[in-house]
Amino acid sequence: MKKIEAIIRTSKFEDVYEALTEIGIPFMSTYEVKGFGLEHSSSQTYRGATYNVGFIPRTKIELVVTEDHAKDVVSTILRVANTGKVGDGKIFIMDVESVIRIRNGEVGELAL
Ligand SMILES: Nc1ncnc2c1ncn2[C@@H]1O[C@H](COP(=O)(O)OP(=O)(O)OP(=O)(O)O)[C@@H](O)[C@H]1O
Ligand SMILES: [Mg+2]
């Protein structure tokens, strides 16, 4: 199993959510996050105060899926969340050791 964490433009969240539902992924966790990428050094002064303009709200989605589904999920996010401009975000992929459904103790892919 793989855990996929993707930080995407908030404006792309609805499209990504719909596209993942269409490929049969009916679960995910989402978070509103603030962060910066390579542009973090840019700052702007407004009325005497300096603001880091690279510190932008984004949406983070997290899903744990089978290895087979992981490829589909990643390619779907890449296709839908890409605008080609800087700041499109990033996808992190991790191995997952175990998943347990709390209600009935099911373990592994059965619990997804
Ligand atoms: N290495 C990282 N670790 C954790 N979060 C990251 C990392 N890189 C980017 N992020 C998160 O992703 C968001 C978007 O990053 P962004 O797309 O600007 O990355 P980038 O490396 O600057 O690429 P680009 O050149 O496309 O802008 C950031 O605001 C931050 O929340
Ligand atoms: Mg950037």
Side-chain angles (χ1 to χ4, degrees):
M1 293 174 287
K2 298 282 186 190
K3 180 177 186 186
I4 297 163
E5 297 187 5
I7 296 179
I8 59 173
R9 294 181 192 278
T10 298
S11 60
K12 286 289 186 182
F13 172 73
E14 280 295 321
D15 291 347
V16 169
Y17 167 77
E18 274 169 29
L20 289 176
T21 305
E22 271 164 26
I23 64 164
I25 306 294
F27 44 72
M28 70 172 66
S29 299
T30 73
Y31 310 84
E32 297 310 314
V33 299
K34 281 194 288 181
F36 49 82
L38 294 175
E39 67 282 84
H40 68 283
S41 57
S42 59
S43 58
Q44 215 168 348
T45 302
Y46 178 70
R47 295 190 175 172
T50 300
Y51 296 90
N52 189 329
V53 293
F55 204 65
I56 312 164
R58 303 267 176 208
T59 297
K60 179 177 177 183
I61 63 178
E62 288 186 6
L63 337 76
V64 176
V65 294
T66 62
E67 304 237 347
D68 280 354
H69 279 140
K71 293 187 191 77
D72 290 346
V73 168
V74 169
S75 62
T76 298
I77 296 170
L78 281 174
R79 174 171 55 81
V80 178
N82 177 289
T83 69
K85 301 201 177 79
V86 296
D88 272 351
K90 227 158 257 186
I91 304 172
F92 305 96
I93 304 159
M94 287 145 280
D95 289 326
V96 171
E97 191 177 305
S98 189
V99 177
I100 305 165
R101 175 172 284 111
I102 292 174
R103 172 170 55 83
N104 55 15
E106 281 177 330
V107 175
E109 293 187 3
L110 263 183
L112 290 178

